[in-house]
Amino acid sequence: MEKALDKCGRWRNITVGFRVSEEESELLNDKVSISGLTKQDYILRRLLGWEVKVYGNPKVYKALKDQMGKILEELKRIEAGQLMDDDLIELIRIVAEVLGDMKEESEWR
């Protein structure tokens, strides 16, 4: 197994894996893309209880734009008479939280 040195000088040579459902995978990928972090860094931060701070950059803005597109498509589906599902509510909550944090950060500067 190949060793990988992290930015704190630790060797990361242990692999941890787990299974998730398709829905859980999609939600995880959405959260990771909006965070601007790598999946590994996002999962480690969440598991260890460290803060996941989102900083605006082109990658994050593109992810937010993509997520807003998903939300728009889901809202059109709902308008057509279908029910709102919990995944959509969670996605809207995440996007709103990130946008709110980014707004506070820009006002702070």
Side-chain angles (χ1 to χ4, degrees):
M1 187 173 292
E2 187 177 322
K3 292 183 178 183
L5 192 62
D6 73 1
K7 54 188 160 194
C8 294
R10 297 174 294 216
W11 290 109
R12 288 189 166 170
N13 58 348
I14 298 173
T15 301
V16 176
F18 54 95
R19 296 181 186 276
V20 295
S21 70
E22 198 171 317
E23 295 83 8
E24 291 166 334
S25 176
E26 187 174 329
L27 182 57
L28 176 61
N29 289 335
D30 289 344
K31 288 183 174 191
V32 168
S33 69
I34 291 172
S35 76
L37 299 170
T38 65
K39 189 178 282 190
Q40 175 178 318
D41 286 340
Y42 179 83
I43 291 171
L44 276 174
R45 286 177 178 276
R46 297 297 298 194
L47 287 173
L48 298 174
W50 298 343
E51 184 178 23
V52 176
K53 188 76 173 167
V54 177
Y55 297 98
N57 62 46
K59 181 180 174 183
V60 170
Y61 288 122
K62 178 168 182 348
L64 285 169
K65 181 182 173 190
D66 293 345
Q67 295 305 320
M68 292 301 292
K70 281 185 181 180
I71 291 170
L72 178 60
E73 289 305 312
E74 286 296 305
L75 291 173
K76 287 178 181 177
R77 182 186 60 78
I78 292 166
E79 186 179 48
Q82 297 182 16
L83 296 176
M84 183 182 262
D85 62 12
D86 292 339
D87 291 341
L88 175 61
I89 295 168
E90 177 67 5
L91 180 58
I92 292 170
R93 188 194 65 73
I94 293 165
V95 170
E97 183 178 303
V98 169
L99 289 172
D101 289 348
M102 289 173 69
K103 182 176 186 264
E104 289 172 15
E105 179 72 21
S106 68
E107 289 173 351
W108 183 75
R109 288 183 189 173

